[in-house]
Amino acid sequence: MHVATGAAAGALVRSRLGAVVVGLALHALGDRIPHEDIASKSFELRCGAGGVLALAAVRGPFDPATVGAVASAAPDIEHVLRLPRPGGRKLFPSHRIPGFHRPGGVSAETQLLIAGALLGGVLAAGIRRSERARSRRARQPGSPTQVT
């Protein structure tokens, strides 16, 4: 869900710096909304990495949607990798505040459905944007793809 919400926000703000700020804020908000965690960390990792790779392939690695997706998902790296924990506490604020991450609420299945729809929309918009750019280039005089 973090990858998809970060991507959607990044596409909307259309700024890399804005995508980072909004992505991190959305991560905290996503942690605050009561939800079921996906049982398989491996599945969650593969879905997140696949989403980021798809965004990078379609929109480019530095597109605000890709940057927003990475920024929103990045705080969860500390759940997977053993990072330094000053004072024994996790690094990202919403991970260290007791009671901030609440179970229950939105089911894992519903989250996957919403994430798929958001990510699909951002990817589709990127494909449409690429097709429009190719079409404009093909219409330019002297273009190697221009039909005469």
Side-chain angles (χ1 to χ4, degrees), residues 23 31 50 83 137:
D31 281 354
L83 299 176
R137 282 193 303 270

Side-chain angles (χ1 to χ4, degrees), residues 72-140:
S72 189
D76 279 347
I77 289 172
E78 69 181 333
H79 295 316
V80 178
L81 301 177
R82 185 72 176 147
L83 299 176
R85 291 186 180 186
R89 296 173 5 156
K90 290 192 175 186
L91 300 173
F92 195 69
S94 69
H95 296 167
R96 64 176 127 149
I97 299 170
F100 195 87
H101 187 274
R102 298 178 298 163
V106 184
S107 71
E109 293 83 5
T110 300
Q111 291 175 68
L112 287 171
L113 182 67
I114 294 168
L118 283 173
L119 193 56
V122 172
L123 289 168
I127 291 168
R128 284 191 303 273
R129 185 178 67 179
S130 294
E131 288 172 351
R132 283 192 306 270
R134 269 193 298 277
S135 177
R136 278 192 301 272
R137 282 193 303 270
R139 290 190 305 260
Q140 291 177 348

Side-chain angles (χ1 to χ4, degrees), residues 7 16 51-70 122-123 125-127 129-130:
R16 290 182 199 136
V52 168
L53 289 173
L55 286 163
V58 169
R59 298 184 67 107
F62 301 110
D63 183 88
T66 307
V67 172
V70 171
V122 172
L123 289 168
I127 291 168
R129 185 178 67 179
S130 294

